[in-house]
Amino acid sequence: MTIEPPAAKQIPSPRTFHGDTVIDEYAWLADPGDPDTIDYLKAENAYTDAVTAHLEPLREQIFTEIKARTQESDLSVPVRKGHWWHYSRTVEGQQYAVHCRRAVQAGEVLPPVPEDGKPLDGEEVLLDGNELAEGHDFFSLGTFRLSPDQRWLAYSTDFAGNERFTLRIKDLATGATLPDEIPDTYVGCAWSLDGSTVFYTTVDDAWRPYRVWRHRIGTPAEADTMVFEEPDERFHVRVGLTRSESYLMIKSASVLTSEVWLLDAATPSAEFTVVAPRRQGVDYDVEHAGDHLLILHNDGAENFEIATVPMTSLADPATWTPLVPHRADTRLLGVDAFADHTVVYFRRDGLTGLRILRKDGEHEVAFAEPVYRVGPGNNPEFQASRFRLSYTSLVTPGSVYDCDMATGELTLLKRQPVLPAPDGTAYRPEDYEQHREWAPVAGSAAGGTRVPISLVCRKGTPRDGSAPCLLYGYGSYEISRDPSFSIPVLSLLDRGFVYAIAHIRGGGEMGRSWYTDGKLLHKKNTFTDFIACAQHLERQGWTSAERLVARGGSAGGLLMGAVANMAPEAFAGIVAHVPFVDALNTILDPTLPLTVTEWEEWGDPLHDPQVYAYMKSYTPYENVTGRTYPPIFALTGLNDTRVTYHEPAKWMARLRAVARGGPFLLKTEMEAGHGGRSGRYDAWLEEALVLAWIIETASAAGRAQGSGLSERIGS
């Protein structure tokens, strides 16, 4: 039986910028109100369902593996705030987390951590996501913030996936939800010290958070006062409360520049005061530390430094005294201030680290594995003597430690449980091995650019090119994709896969210059780095091009589309989640969410012809050719406000019309947004489908079957 893919109608739509006219046959797909658009997306879903129907047994097997290895009833490590332990827990059979607290008992220094994941004795349920989600196909909790006195809970919900949250206030003394209901808010909020007032943000028409509002508890939203507005469309705004709870803080930031405003949290009706007026290219964060601020900044320090400044002379940069000076080999990422200690979060040699500063010296928290990720945990108390941190590697499940800041002693509180597989096989880290590889970039000078790769496989995996491999990449916004443990990845490793992460330029793995070398007019470095990683894995015998599948999402989906055009022969298949593949058309439209605030990341093609030409040369949708492409599986959400559904829809339509090879599959979640399906079981089912597709595509038999399938469906 021949399965024909849907054929999108072609309606020529001209686009002219800088004297260049382009015809876009599929621009009509950008209108979700057009019944033809919805019909086309449904036809694509039906086609994908039909083409992947034979994977259902493997999908169910992988879903069962994920479910069996996951402790479904589990409890996060409680975090102390005042006289309460706060935690969330999951319940077997339920999709969403339950958020709770329990009073601290006499003598408790370390948190109670039950191994069975059952509720703590005496717990109080603050919010049950399952109850909130009842009757909805999608649910997302945006804000969850308790007032300093822990009387009030501010929380917000989204039932569509479009990130338009409704903010509500719950009285924890009575359990009643107040009539204070504020629609169309952004994530995050901040309480005044006395709990009388909550500050929140709202967005403009391009879904840019740009206004901060003051809401007094018990008053209607219509009476709220706007306290801050950011007119510059490059900047987005957030509001918070310092760890000391002494100051409310507004930060307005673009990709390159930031500005912070403070307000005494005890006087919520007063005016905010700027710390240091913005200067183009200067990015800074502040942390309150008693009678001074700690300022993490890049003013004359590419990899950032940490300075101290007295509260009495905030606006004078001359009073900024370096505490942790700039180092060319260390990117400073953050700083947490406590009453008697300071913790610095940094990155060096592609790995993260933590350093504790004491009055009598300093201590670096160290781990022995070759690749790992360590970072700050939730540390809400300024007077704390113990620092909560998280640790994971490709073979070590997520681990939560408390560090005694005076001695540096680590106490393991919990390690993510990994239960036996359905056949009873227990997970043993020693059955796997992890490595760090360095891929040379073709054309770079001697001793030039080498791209780090983190990889994991089962011990005994052959190094003769016969192993299948999944290579993941992102490479934008200075976001680092650090190695971490994944239960779903075990379903690949136990089938003989190598799993690898390419730490390509555009990300932040190797410092600030690693990011700047992969953005704007250097963006193509991101793509050539990824291709270099694929080629290196093949040269070193980890895999072969016939068995290598690439995967990325969002800006990493742009990466997937770019490498598909540049080196389709290097990959057996490509998975692209919510892919930013129509980047030029999107960045040309300043009314869209992913435009003006992104010009410092991608460039401004609307006003700069050089940027226009450069982006046009790599944008995946604009550069599809008649070459033979590998199978491609794209996933998106109809309600995605970050990367709209029409980008992958147009991409698939053009691939089918122009390219050879495939098949080209599109799956659209009709009730979800950028993050995909919201419930954990639903998310596992979707992941199981993707992994089943990867396994078949990467296998030699699967490729042969895929070729035959391509012939049957006429791709």
Side-chain angles (χ1 to χ4, degrees), residues 77-101:
V77 178
V79 173
R80 183 166 182 166
K81 180 70 170 66
H83 300 297
W84 295 92
W85 293 112
H86 291 269
Y87 58 95
S88 62
R89 57 180 176 83
T90 54
V91 180
E92 183 174 355
Q94 295 185 355
Q95 296 268 29
Y96 302 100
V98 182
H99 303 273
C100 312
R101 68 180 179 183

PDB file of all heavy atoms in Angstrom, residues 77-101:
ATOM      1  N   VAL A  77      14.477  16.709  47.416  1.00  0.00           N
ATOM      2  CA  VAL A  77      15.136  16.969  48.703  1.00  0.00           C
ATOM      3  C   VAL A  77      14.571  18.263  49.289  1.00  0.00           C
ATOM      4  O   VAL A  77      14.638  19.320  48.658  1.00  0.00           O
ATOM      5  CB  VAL A  77      16.657  17.087  48.515  1.00  0.00           C
ATOM      6  CG1 VAL A  77      17.321  17.405  49.855  1.00  0.00           C
ATOM      7  CG2 VAL A  77      17.221  15.803  47.941  1.00  0.00           C
ATOM      8  N   PRO A  78      13.993  18.203  50.482  1.00  0.00           N
ATOM      9  CA  PRO A  78      13.394  19.412  51.067  1.00  0.00           C
ATOM     10  C   PRO A  78      14.422  20.529  51.262  1.00  0.00           C
ATOM     11  O   PRO A  78      15.587  20.294  51.592  1.00  0.00           O
ATOM     12  CB  PRO A  78      12.841  18.914  52.410  1.00  0.00           C
ATOM     13  CG  PRO A  78      12.587  17.453  52.197  1.00  0.00           C
ATOM     14  CD  PRO A  78      13.708  17.004  51.296  1.00  0.00           C
ATOM     15  N   VAL A  79      13.951  21.745  51.046  1.00  0.00           N
ATOM     16  CA  VAL A  79      14.765  22.950  51.208  1.00  0.00           C
ATOM     17  C   VAL A  79      14.217  23.739  52.393  1.00  0.00           C
ATOM     18  O   VAL A  79      13.011  23.969  52.497  1.00  0.00           O
ATOM     19  CB  VAL A  79      14.724  23.813  49.926  1.00  0.00           C
ATOM     20  CG1 VAL A  79      15.425  25.147  50.158  1.00  0.00           C
ATOM     21  CG2 VAL A  79      15.348  23.067  48.767  1.00  0.00           C
ATOM     22  N   ARG A  80      15.130  24.146  53.272  1.00  0.00           N
ATOM     23  CA  ARG A  80      14.670  24.865  54.462  1.00  0.00           C
ATOM     24  C   ARG A  80      14.517  26.348  54.183  1.00  0.00           C
ATOM     25  O   ARG A  80      15.390  26.997  53.616  1.00  0.00           O
ATOM     26  CB  ARG A  80      15.644  24.666  55.624  1.00  0.00           C
ATOM     27  CG  ARG A  80      15.163  25.348  56.899  1.00  0.00           C
ATOM     28  CD  ARG A  80      15.923  24.901  58.122  1.00  0.00           C
ATOM     29  NE  ARG A  80      15.397  25.540  59.328  1.00  0.00           N
ATOM     30  CZ  ARG A  80      15.681  25.158  60.571  1.00  0.00           C
ATOM     31  NH1 ARG A  80      16.508  24.128  60.771  1.00  0.00           N
ATOM     32  NH2 ARG A  80      15.169  25.795  61.610  1.00  0.00           N
ATOM     33  N   LYS A  81      13.377  26.874  54.619  1.00  0.00           N
ATOM     34  CA  LYS A  81      13.120  28.318  54.606  1.00  0.00           C
ATOM     35  C   LYS A  81      12.408  28.654  55.905  1.00  0.00           C
ATOM     36  O   LYS A  81      11.252  28.268  56.108  1.00  0.00           O
ATOM     37  CB  LYS A  81      12.268  28.707  53.392  1.00  0.00           C
ATOM     38  CG  LYS A  81      11.961  30.207  53.312  1.00  0.00           C
ATOM     39  CD  LYS A  81      13.231  30.983  52.974  1.00  0.00           C
ATOM     40  CE  LYS A  81      12.932  32.435  52.637  1.00  0.00           C
ATOM     41  NZ  LYS A  81      12.416  33.193  53.798  1.00  0.00           N
ATOM     42  N   GLY A  82      13.136  29.320  56.794  1.00  0.00           N
ATOM     43  CA  GLY A  82      12.554  29.622  58.093  1.00  0.00           C
ATOM     44  C   GLY A  82      12.282  28.349  58.877  1.00  0.00           C
ATOM     45  O   GLY A  82      13.151  27.498  59.057  1.00  0.00           O
ATOM     46  N   HIS A  83      11.058  28.196  59.314  1.00  0.00           N
ATOM     47  CA  HIS A  83      10.679  27.041  60.137  1.00  0.00           C
ATOM     48  C   HIS A  83      10.023  25.943  59.307  1.00  0.00           C
ATOM     49  O   HIS A  83       9.352  25.065  59.874  1.00  0.00           O
ATOM     50  CB  HIS A  83       9.728  27.494  61.254  1.00  0.00           C
ATOM     51  CG  HIS A  83      10.328  28.512  62.177  1.00  0.00           C
ATOM     52  ND1 HIS A  83      11.431  28.244  62.965  1.00  0.00           N
ATOM     53  CD2 HIS A  83      10.004  29.813  62.412  1.00  0.00           C
ATOM     54  CE1 HIS A  83      11.744  29.322  63.658  1.00  0.00           C
ATOM     55  NE2 HIS A  83      10.901  30.289  63.348  1.00  0.00           N
ATOM     56  N   TRP A  84      10.221  25.976  57.982  1.00  0.00           N
ATOM     57  CA  TRP A  84       9.558  25.001  57.118  1.00  0.00           C
ATOM     58  C   TRP A  84      10.557  24.320  56.187  1.00  0.00           C
ATOM     59  O   TRP A  84      11.530  24.930  55.735  1.00  0.00           O
ATOM     60  CB  TRP A  84       8.495  25.681  56.249  1.00  0.00           C
ATOM     61  CG  TRP A  84       7.341  26.272  57.002  1.00  0.00           C
ATOM     62  CD1 TRP A  84       7.229  27.554  57.456  1.00  0.00           C
ATOM     63  CD2 TRP A  84       6.139  25.613  57.384  1.00  0.00           C
ATOM     64  NE1 TRP A  84       6.032  27.741  58.082  1.00  0.00           N
ATOM     65  CE2 TRP A  84       5.336  26.554  58.059  1.00  0.00           C
ATOM     66  CE3 TRP A  84       5.649  24.316  57.217  1.00  0.00           C
ATOM     67  CZ2 TRP A  84       4.081  26.243  58.567  1.00  0.00           C
ATOM     68  CZ3 TRP A  84       4.391  24.004  57.718  1.00  0.00           C
ATOM     69  CH2 TRP A  84       3.623  24.954  58.385  1.00  0.00           C
ATOM     70  N   TRP A  85      10.301  23.038  55.924  1.00  0.00           N
ATOM     71  CA  TRP A  85      10.936  22.331  54.814  1.00  0.00           C
ATOM     72  C   TRP A  85       9.981  22.392  53.623  1.00  0.00           C
ATOM     73  O   TRP A  85       8.797  22.041  53.760  1.00  0.00           O
ATOM     74  CB  TRP A  85      11.188  20.862  55.160  1.00  0.00           C
ATOM     75  CG  TRP A  85      12.197  20.606  56.231  1.00  0.00           C
ATOM     76  CD1 TRP A  85      11.963  20.101  57.473  1.00  0.00           C
ATOM     77  CD2 TRP A  85      13.612  20.814  56.142  1.00  0.00           C
ATOM     78  NE1 TRP A  85      13.134  19.988  58.186  1.00  0.00           N
ATOM     79  CE2 TRP A  85      14.162  20.415  57.383  1.00  0.00           C
ATOM     80  CE3 TRP A  85      14.462  21.295  55.151  1.00  0.00           C
ATOM     81  CZ2 TRP A  85      15.531  20.484  57.652  1.00  0.00           C
ATOM     82  CZ3 TRP A  85      15.821  21.364  55.423  1.00  0.00           C
ATOM     83  CH2 TRP A  85      16.347  20.969  56.645  1.00  0.00           C
ATOM     84  N   HIS A  86      10.488  22.820  52.473  1.00  0.00           N
ATOM     85  CA  HIS A  86       9.676  22.889  51.256  1.00  0.00           C
ATOM     86  C   HIS A  86      10.162  21.843  50.264  1.00  0.00           C
ATOM     87  O   HIS A  86      11.367  21.637  50.093  1.00  0.00           O
ATOM     88  CB  HIS A  86       9.770  24.287  50.636  1.00  0.00           C
ATOM     89  CG  HIS A  86       9.095  25.350  51.453  1.00  0.00           C
ATOM     90  ND1 HIS A  86       7.791  25.703  51.262  1.00  0.00           N
ATOM     91  CD2 HIS A  86       9.553  26.110  52.492  1.00  0.00           C
ATOM     92  CE1 HIS A  86       7.455  26.652  52.126  1.00  0.00           C
ATOM     93  NE2 HIS A  86       8.510  26.910  52.887  1.00  0.00           N
ATOM     94  N   TYR A  87       9.228  21.187  49.569  1.00  0.00           N
ATOM     95  CA  TYR A  87       9.589  20.140  48.611  1.00  0.00           C
ATOM     96  C   TYR A  87       8.426  19.909  47.660  1.00  0.00           C
ATOM     97  O   TYR A  87       7.302  20.404  47.862  1.00  0.00           O
ATOM     98  CB  TYR A  87       9.938  18.833  49.340  1.00  0.00           C
ATOM     99  CG  TYR A  87       8.830  18.289  50.224  1.00  0.00           C
ATOM    100  CD1 TYR A  87       7.941  17.325  49.753  1.00  0.00           C
ATOM    101  CD2 TYR A  87       8.676  18.740  51.541  1.00  0.00           C
ATOM    102  CE1 TYR A  87       6.928  16.820  50.565  1.00  0.00           C
ATOM    103  CE2 TYR A  87       7.674  18.253  52.352  1.00  0.00           C
ATOM    104  CZ  TYR A  87       6.798  17.287  51.865  1.00  0.00           C
ATOM    105  OH  TYR A  87       5.797  16.805  52.654  1.00  0.00           O
ATOM    106  N   SER A  88       8.689  19.168  46.622  1.00  0.00           N
ATOM    107  CA  SER A  88       7.624  18.707  45.724  1.00  0.00           C
ATOM    108  C   SER A  88       7.733  17.199  45.620  1.00  0.00           C
ATOM    109  O   SER A  88       8.799  16.621  45.853  1.00  0.00           O
ATOM    110  CB  SER A  88       7.746  19.359  44.343  1.00  0.00           C
ATOM    111  OG  SER A  88       8.964  18.996  43.729  1.00  0.00           O
ATOM    112  N   ARG A  89       6.652  16.555  45.282  1.00  0.00           N
ATOM    113  CA  ARG A  89       6.675  15.106  45.120  1.00  0.00           C
ATOM    114  C   ARG A  89       5.775  14.704  43.958  1.00  0.00           C
ATOM    115  O   ARG A  89       4.848  15.434  43.571  1.00  0.00           O
ATOM    116  CB  ARG A  89       6.270  14.393  46.410  1.00  0.00           C
ATOM    117  CG  ARG A  89       4.902  14.768  46.954  1.00  0.00           C
ATOM    118  CD  ARG A  89       4.601  14.011  48.246  1.00  0.00           C
ATOM    119  NE  ARG A  89       3.340  14.432  48.837  1.00  0.00           N
ATOM    120  CZ  ARG A  89       2.139  13.950  48.461  1.00  0.00           C
ATOM    121  NH1 ARG A  89       2.081  13.018  47.503  1.00  0.00           N
ATOM    122  NH2 ARG A  89       1.042  14.383  49.030  1.00  0.00           N
ATOM    123  N   THR A  90       6.090  13.564  43.410  1.00  0.00           N
ATOM    124  CA  THR A  90       5.274  12.980  42.351  1.00  0.00           C
ATOM    125  C   THR A  90       4.634  11.707  42.876  1.00  0.00           C
ATOM    126  O   THR A  90       5.156  11.048  43.782  1.00  0.00           O
ATOM    127  CB  THR A  90       6.121  12.658  41.113  1.00  0.00           C
ATOM    128  OG1 THR A  90       7.230  11.824  41.499  1.00  0.00           O
ATOM    129  CG2 THR A  90       6.648  13.931  40.471  1.00  0.00           C
ATOM    130  N   VAL A  91       3.487  11.363  42.306  1.00  0.00           N
ATOM    131  CA  VAL A  91       2.713  10.202  42.736  1.00  0.00           C
ATOM    132  C   VAL A  91       2.513   9.281  41.537  1.00  0.00           C
ATOM    133  O   VAL A  91       2.174   9.750  40.437  1.00  0.00           O
ATOM    134  CB  VAL A  91       1.342  10.627  43.310  1.00  0.00           C
ATOM    135  CG1 VAL A  91       0.540   9.404  43.759  1.00  0.00           C
ATOM    136  CG2 VAL A  91       1.532  11.603  44.467  1.00  0.00           C
ATOM    137  N   GLU A  92       2.740   8.022  41.741  1.00  0.00           N
ATOM    138  CA  GLU A  92       2.582   7.048  40.664  1.00  0.00           C
ATOM    139  C   GLU A  92       1.196   7.181  40.035  1.00  0.00           C
ATOM    140  O   GLU A  92       0.179   7.237  40.733  1.00  0.00           O
ATOM    141  CB  GLU A  92       2.777   5.629  41.197  1.00  0.00           C
ATOM    142  CG  GLU A  92       2.695   4.563  40.117  1.00  0.00           C
ATOM    143  CD  GLU A  92       3.027   3.186  40.641  1.00  0.00           C
ATOM    144  OE1 GLU A  92       3.406   3.074  41.831  1.00  0.00           O
ATOM    145  OE2 GLU A  92       2.919   2.217  39.863  1.00  0.00           O
ATOM    146  N   GLY A  93       1.190   7.283  38.713  1.00  0.00           N
ATOM    147  CA  GLY A  93      -0.062   7.399  37.970  1.00  0.00           C
ATOM    148  C   GLY A  93      -0.528   8.814  37.744  1.00  0.00           C
ATOM    149  O   GLY A  93      -1.475   9.037  36.983  1.00  0.00           O
ATOM    150  N   GLN A  94       0.127   9.806  38.385  1.00  0.00           N
ATOM    151  CA  GLN A  94      -0.278  11.201  38.218  1.00  0.00           C
ATOM    152  C   GLN A  94       0.754  11.947  37.371  1.00  0.00           C
ATOM    153  O   GLN A  94       1.955  11.704  37.483  1.00  0.00           O
ATOM    154  CB  GLN A  94      -0.446  11.878  39.581  1.00  0.00           C
ATOM    155  CG  GLN A  94      -1.578  11.288  40.402  1.00  0.00           C
ATOM    156  CD  GLN A  94      -1.814  12.044  41.702  1.00  0.00           C
ATOM    157  OE1 GLN A  94      -1.072  12.967  42.054  1.00  0.00           O
ATOM    158  NE2 GLN A  94      -2.849  11.650  42.422  1.00  0.00           N
ATOM    159  N   GLN A  95       0.262  12.875  36.549  1.00  0.00           N
ATOM    160  CA  GLN A  95       1.103  13.545  35.565  1.00  0.00           C
ATOM    161  C   GLN A  95       1.992  14.640  36.164  1.00  0.00           C
ATOM    162  O   GLN A  95       3.100  14.890  35.682  1.00  0.00           O
ATOM    163  CB  GLN A  95       0.221  14.190  34.485  1.00  0.00           C
ATOM    164  CG  GLN A  95      -0.596  13.205  33.647  1.00  0.00           C
ATOM    165  CD  GLN A  95       0.143  12.796  32.386  1.00  0.00           C
ATOM    166  OE1 GLN A  95       1.364  12.772  32.362  1.00  0.00           O
ATOM    167  NE2 GLN A  95      -0.597  12.469  31.350  1.00  0.00           N
ATOM    168  N   TYR A  96       1.498  15.326  37.215  1.00  0.00           N
ATOM    169  CA  TYR A  96       2.141  16.563  37.650  1.00  0.00           C
ATOM    170  C   TYR A  96       2.575  16.499  39.112  1.00  0.00           C
ATOM    171  O   TYR A  96       2.107  15.659  39.893  1.00  0.00           O
ATOM    172  CB  TYR A  96       1.198  17.751  37.430  1.00  0.00           C
ATOM    173  CG  TYR A  96       0.776  17.898  35.990  1.00  0.00           C
ATOM    174  CD1 TYR A  96      -0.463  17.432  35.549  1.00  0.00           C
ATOM    175  CD2 TYR A  96       1.636  18.474  35.057  1.00  0.00           C
ATOM    176  CE1 TYR A  96      -0.838  17.553  34.212  1.00  0.00           C
ATOM    177  CE2 TYR A  96       1.266  18.598  33.730  1.00  0.00           C
ATOM    178  CZ  TYR A  96       0.030  18.136  33.310  1.00  0.00           C
ATOM    179  OH  TYR A  96      -0.332  18.252  31.988  1.00  0.00           O
ATOM    180  N   ALA A  97       3.449  17.424  39.472  1.00  0.00           N
ATOM    181  CA  ALA A  97       4.003  17.448  40.820  1.00  0.00           C
ATOM    182  C   ALA A  97       3.008  18.026  41.824  1.00  0.00           C
ATOM    183  O   ALA A  97       2.141  18.842  41.484  1.00  0.00           O
ATOM    184  CB  ALA A  97       5.291  18.268  40.834  1.00  0.00           C
ATOM    185  N   VAL A  98       3.178  17.587  43.087  1.00  0.00           N
ATOM    186  CA  VAL A  98       2.443  18.137  44.220  1.00  0.00           C
ATOM    187  C   VAL A  98       3.453  18.924  45.056  1.00  0.00           C
ATOM    188  O   VAL A  98       4.509  18.399  45.432  1.00  0.00           O
ATOM    189  CB  VAL A  98       1.813  17.011  45.071  1.00  0.00           C
ATOM    190  CG1 VAL A  98       1.015  17.607  46.227  1.00  0.00           C
ATOM    191  CG2 VAL A  98       0.933  16.115  44.207  1.00  0.00           C
ATOM    192  N   HIS A  99       3.143  20.179  45.351  1.00  0.00           N
ATOM    193  CA  HIS A  99       4.069  21.064  46.064  1.00  0.00           C
ATOM    194  C   HIS A  99       3.648  21.175  47.525  1.00  0.00           C
ATOM    195  O   HIS A  99       2.484  21.484  47.826  1.00  0.00           O
ATOM    196  CB  HIS A  99       4.086  22.437  45.399  1.00  0.00           C
ATOM    197  CG  HIS A  99       4.467  22.374  43.944  1.00  0.00           C
ATOM    198  ND1 HIS A  99       5.770  22.407  43.516  1.00  0.00           N
ATOM    199  CD2 HIS A  99       3.703  22.242  42.822  1.00  0.00           C
ATOM    200  CE1 HIS A  99       5.802  22.306  42.198  1.00  0.00           C
ATOM    201  NE2 HIS A  99       4.562  22.206  41.752  1.00  0.00           N
ATOM    202  N   CYS A 100       4.595  20.935  48.432  1.00  0.00           N
ATOM    203  CA  CYS A 100       4.267  20.759  49.843  1.00  0.00           C
ATOM    204  C   CYS A 100       5.269  21.476  50.741  1.00  0.00           C
ATOM    205  O   CYS A 100       6.326  21.924  50.305  1.00  0.00           O
ATOM    206  CB  CYS A 100       4.274  19.261  50.212  1.00  0.00           C
ATOM    207  SG  CYS A 100       3.360  18.193  49.080  1.00  0.00           S
ATOM    208  N   ARG A 101       4.905  21.517  52.040  1.00  0.00           N
ATOM    209  CA  ARG A 101       5.845  21.936  53.072  1.00  0.00           C
ATOM    210  C   ARG A 101       5.542  21.150  54.350  1.00  0.00           C
ATOM    211  O   ARG A 101       4.453  20.585  54.510  1.00  0.00           O
ATOM    212  CB  ARG A 101       5.763  23.442  53.330  1.00  0.00           C
ATOM    213  CG  ARG A 101       4.468  23.915  53.984  1.00  0.00           C
ATOM    214  CD  ARG A 101       4.494  25.418  54.199  1.00  0.00           C
ATOM    215  NE  ARG A 101       3.252  25.896  54.797  1.00  0.00           N
ATOM    216  CZ  ARG A 101       2.988  27.189  55.042  1.00  0.00           C
ATOM    217  NH1 ARG A 101       3.892  28.111  54.734  1.00  0.00           N
ATOM    218  NH2 ARG A 101       1.845  27.540  55.597  1.00  0.00           N
TER     219      ARG A 101
END
